[in-house]
Amino acid sequence: MILVVGGAGYIGSHLVKELAENEEVIVLDNLSTGHREAVDSRAIFVEGDIGNEEVLQMIFKSYPISAVMHFAAYSLVGESVIDPLKYYENNVASTLKLLKAMLNNHVKNFIFSSTAAVYGIPAVEMIDEKTATSPINPYGHSKLLIEQILADFKNAYGLNYIILRYFNAAGAHESAKIGESHNPETHLIPIILQHLLGHRDKVSIFGSDYKTPDGTCIRDYIHVNDLASAHILALKALLAKEKEAEVYNLGNGHGFSVKEVLETCEKVTGLKAKVEMADRRAGDPARLVASSQKIFSELVWEAERNLEQIISDAWEWHRNQLY
Ligand code: UFG
């Protein structure tokens, strides 16, 4: 049985839907940002916090857990700058409690959701796993701290792990039953689609004087179901003991500027957005594009869905929402 913490959240709920096809799954989520209705009905659901030692103990004693997948983190860069305590408390201190409970119960397989934010402002065009890590915000720091802790725990306690560094997760399940729902929403694609549905009066482009071809920031958007399939492969490799301590980037390998994303949303929906140029948003690197060569060669994973597919799946989901 696999324990998925944060399995009611955006990425976690997509993973659970795929994982539950072949595995028994238990989800632990405190529903602070996740949604109960997003959890696949085949999974057991426990409402609780990853920092709650009693709940963790109950789960590990009651169920035969073979691996833990960790999606239960706060993930907004801007918020982490304003409230770093919230980020270190949950993303680091509570994660330590989770790891401690695993070790106490002899569970030694861990899949960890990390982020492109560990690279800070990279000096290279294509970021690979050897690119220096140098986070520029508490969110990125909180993730990198756990990455370092995992390496130490591998050496000391034999904890096996795979770290997956996501670039810009986007899109929705093809069933349009689950998708990206944050409150408040800060991510580009949902904001554009909500505007095109009439729920926002305009889209602001944060900065048009970056050193990129059209002056707007470039990101590597990756479909949430491509992320989910990478987790399944990583889990298999971990359980088969083919991998014991690895880190992989997860991206499409193609960068799209904010303007290009806007144009693609207009093309997919057939609607025209009202756009305003705004100031830069603090902490935004000009370009973040992944090389996912390592996971391609080692686990034979490759993103299958392009930006148009990402946006059209997100659009189907947003159109079904009652805002
Ligand atoms: N953007 C706008 N207008 C908006 C919203 C976003 O122009 O209304 C721009 C941002 O400035 C950025 C790009 O669109 O250049 C993408 O922004 P998102 O907020 O969608 O995503 P981020 O790239 O900021 O965030 C992602 C992940 C984080 C991760 C970060 C690493 O969601 O978890 O990349 O920098 F930490």
PDB file of all heavy atoms in Angstrom, residues 218-220 253-257 260 287-289:
ATOM      1  N   ILE A 218      10.107  33.280 -19.583  1.00  0.00           N
ATOM      2  CA  ILE A 218       9.949  31.982 -20.251  1.00  0.00           C
ATOM      3  C   ILE A 218       9.914  30.863 -19.209  1.00  0.00           C
ATOM      4  O   ILE A 218      10.722  30.838 -18.288  1.00  0.00           O
ATOM      5  CB  ILE A 218      11.113  31.774 -21.247  1.00  0.00           C
ATOM      6  CG1 ILE A 218      10.975  32.791 -22.379  1.00  0.00           C
ATOM      7  CG2 ILE A 218      11.148  30.339 -21.764  1.00  0.00           C
ATOM      8  CD1 ILE A 218      12.106  32.786 -23.368  1.00  0.00           C
ATOM      9  N   ARG A 219       8.928  29.971 -19.377  1.00  0.00           N
ATOM     10  CA  ARG A 219       8.781  28.836 -18.452  1.00  0.00           C
ATOM     11  C   ARG A 219       8.571  27.547 -19.250  1.00  0.00           C
ATOM     12  O   ARG A 219       8.153  27.577 -20.405  1.00  0.00           O
ATOM     13  CB  ARG A 219       7.553  29.032 -17.535  1.00  0.00           C
ATOM     14  CG  ARG A 219       7.683  30.174 -16.548  1.00  0.00           C
ATOM     15  CD  ARG A 219       8.663  29.848 -15.433  1.00  0.00           C
ATOM     16  NE  ARG A 219       8.795  30.925 -14.483  1.00  0.00           N
ATOM     17  CZ  ARG A 219       9.637  31.957 -14.610  1.00  0.00           C
ATOM     18  NH1 ARG A 219      10.408  32.065 -15.674  1.00  0.00           N
ATOM     19  NH2 ARG A 219       9.706  32.869 -13.666  1.00  0.00           N
ATOM     20  N   ASP A 220       8.786  26.450 -18.568  1.00  0.00           N
ATOM     21  CA  ASP A 220       8.632  25.122 -19.146  1.00  0.00           C
ATOM     22  C   ASP A 220       7.370  24.506 -18.526  1.00  0.00           C
ATOM     23  O   ASP A 220       7.374  24.089 -17.367  1.00  0.00           O
ATOM     24  CB  ASP A 220       9.894  24.314 -18.776  1.00  0.00           C
ATOM     25  CG  ASP A 220       9.908  22.921 -19.356  1.00  0.00           C
ATOM     26  OD1 ASP A 220       8.825  22.390 -19.660  1.00  0.00           O
ATOM     27  OD2 ASP A 220      11.006  22.350 -19.465  1.00  0.00           O
ATOM     28  N   GLY A 253      11.072  20.484 -21.734  1.00  0.00           N
ATOM     29  CA  GLY A 253      12.260  20.829 -22.505  1.00  0.00           C
ATOM     30  C   GLY A 253      12.020  21.959 -23.503  1.00  0.00           C
ATOM     31  O   GLY A 253      12.881  22.270 -24.315  1.00  0.00           O
ATOM     32  N   HIS A 254      10.826  22.565 -23.466  1.00  0.00           N
ATOM     33  CA  HIS A 254      10.524  23.689 -24.359  1.00  0.00           C
ATOM     34  C   HIS A 254      10.077  24.869 -23.515  1.00  0.00           C
ATOM     35  O   HIS A 254       9.229  24.717 -22.642  1.00  0.00           O
ATOM     36  CB  HIS A 254       9.394  23.347 -25.336  1.00  0.00           C
ATOM     37  CG  HIS A 254       9.710  22.199 -26.209  1.00  0.00           C
ATOM     38  ND1 HIS A 254      10.636  22.271 -27.223  1.00  0.00           N
ATOM     39  CD2 HIS A 254       9.249  20.927 -26.204  1.00  0.00           C
ATOM     40  CE1 HIS A 254      10.728  21.084 -27.812  1.00  0.00           C
ATOM     41  NE2 HIS A 254       9.894  20.251 -27.199  1.00  0.00           N
ATOM     42  N   GLY A 255      10.639  26.036 -23.813  1.00  0.00           N
ATOM     43  CA  GLY A 255      10.252  27.224 -23.068  1.00  0.00           C
ATOM     44  C   GLY A 255       9.201  28.033 -23.823  1.00  0.00           C
ATOM     45  O   GLY A 255       9.266  28.159 -25.050  1.00  0.00           O
ATOM     46  N   PHE A 256       8.221  28.552 -23.098  1.00  0.00           N
ATOM     47  CA  PHE A 256       7.210  29.441 -23.697  1.00  0.00           C
ATOM     48  C   PHE A 256       7.152  30.719 -22.884  1.00  0.00           C
ATOM     49  O   PHE A 256       7.123  30.681 -21.646  1.00  0.00           O
ATOM     50  CB  PHE A 256       5.835  28.775 -23.724  1.00  0.00           C
ATOM     51  CG  PHE A 256       5.766  27.621 -24.674  1.00  0.00           C
ATOM     52  CD1 PHE A 256       6.020  26.336 -24.238  1.00  0.00           C
ATOM     53  CD2 PHE A 256       5.503  27.837 -26.024  1.00  0.00           C
ATOM     54  CE1 PHE A 256       5.988  25.264 -25.118  1.00  0.00           C
ATOM     55  CE2 PHE A 256       5.466  26.776 -26.919  1.00  0.00           C
ATOM     56  CZ  PHE A 256       5.712  25.482 -26.468  1.00  0.00           C
ATOM     57  N   SER A 257       7.108  31.854 -23.581  1.00  0.00           N
ATOM     58  CA  SER A 257       7.028  33.142 -22.887  1.00  0.00           C
ATOM     59  C   SER A 257       5.590  33.374 -22.424  1.00  0.00           C
ATOM     60  O   SER A 257       4.650  32.712 -22.896  1.00  0.00           O
ATOM     61  CB  SER A 257       7.455  34.274 -23.822  1.00  0.00           C
ATOM     62  OG  SER A 257       6.457  34.470 -24.797  1.00  0.00           O
ATOM     63  N   GLU A 260       3.505  34.090 -25.341  1.00  0.00           N
ATOM     64  CA  GLU A 260       3.188  32.888 -26.134  1.00  0.00           C
ATOM     65  C   GLU A 260       2.100  32.049 -25.459  1.00  0.00           C
ATOM     66  O   GLU A 260       1.241  31.476 -26.136  1.00  0.00           O
ATOM     67  CB  GLU A 260       4.451  32.036 -26.339  1.00  0.00           C
ATOM     68  CG  GLU A 260       5.408  32.654 -27.337  1.00  0.00           C
ATOM     69  CD  GLU A 260       6.758  31.954 -27.390  1.00  0.00           C
ATOM     70  OE1 GLU A 260       7.204  31.401 -26.366  1.00  0.00           O
ATOM     71  OE2 GLU A 260       7.383  31.997 -28.468  1.00  0.00           O
ATOM     72  N   ARG A 287      14.112  33.005 -17.209  1.00  0.00           N
ATOM     73  CA  ARG A 287      13.925  31.783 -18.004  1.00  0.00           C
ATOM     74  C   ARG A 287      14.173  30.550 -17.140  1.00  0.00           C
ATOM     75  O   ARG A 287      15.183  30.476 -16.430  1.00  0.00           O
ATOM     76  CB  ARG A 287      14.952  31.812 -19.152  1.00  0.00           C
ATOM     77  CG  ARG A 287      14.890  30.648 -20.078  1.00  0.00           C
ATOM     78  CD  ARG A 287      16.039  30.678 -21.109  1.00  0.00           C
ATOM     79  NE  ARG A 287      16.287  29.323 -21.548  1.00  0.00           N
ATOM     80  CZ  ARG A 287      15.724  28.765 -22.631  1.00  0.00           C
ATOM     81  NH1 ARG A 287      14.965  29.472 -23.407  1.00  0.00           N
ATOM     82  NH2 ARG A 287      15.946  27.508 -22.941  1.00  0.00           N
ATOM     83  N   LEU A 288      13.242  29.623 -17.174  1.00  0.00           N
ATOM     84  CA  LEU A 288      13.431  28.337 -16.474  1.00  0.00           C
ATOM     85  C   LEU A 288      12.976  27.237 -17.428  1.00  0.00           C
ATOM     86  O   LEU A 288      11.781  27.052 -17.643  1.00  0.00           O
ATOM     87  CB  LEU A 288      12.579  28.268 -15.202  1.00  0.00           C
ATOM     88  CG  LEU A 288      13.005  29.072 -13.968  1.00  0.00           C
ATOM     89  CD1 LEU A 288      11.940  28.951 -12.880  1.00  0.00           C
ATOM     90  CD2 LEU A 288      14.362  28.620 -13.446  1.00  0.00           C
ATOM     91  N   VAL A 289      13.928  26.540 -18.014  1.00  0.00           N
ATOM     92  CA  VAL A 289      13.592  25.447 -18.931  1.00  0.00           C
ATOM     93  C   VAL A 289      14.420  24.220 -18.542  1.00  0.00           C
ATOM     94  O   VAL A 289      15.628  24.325 -18.333  1.00  0.00           O
ATOM     95  CB  VAL A 289      13.835  25.831 -20.405  1.00  0.00           C
ATOM     96  CG1 VAL A 289      13.435  24.683 -21.326  1.00  0.00           C
ATOM     97  CG2 VAL A 289      13.044  27.090 -20.774  1.00  0.00           C
TER      98      VAL A 289
END
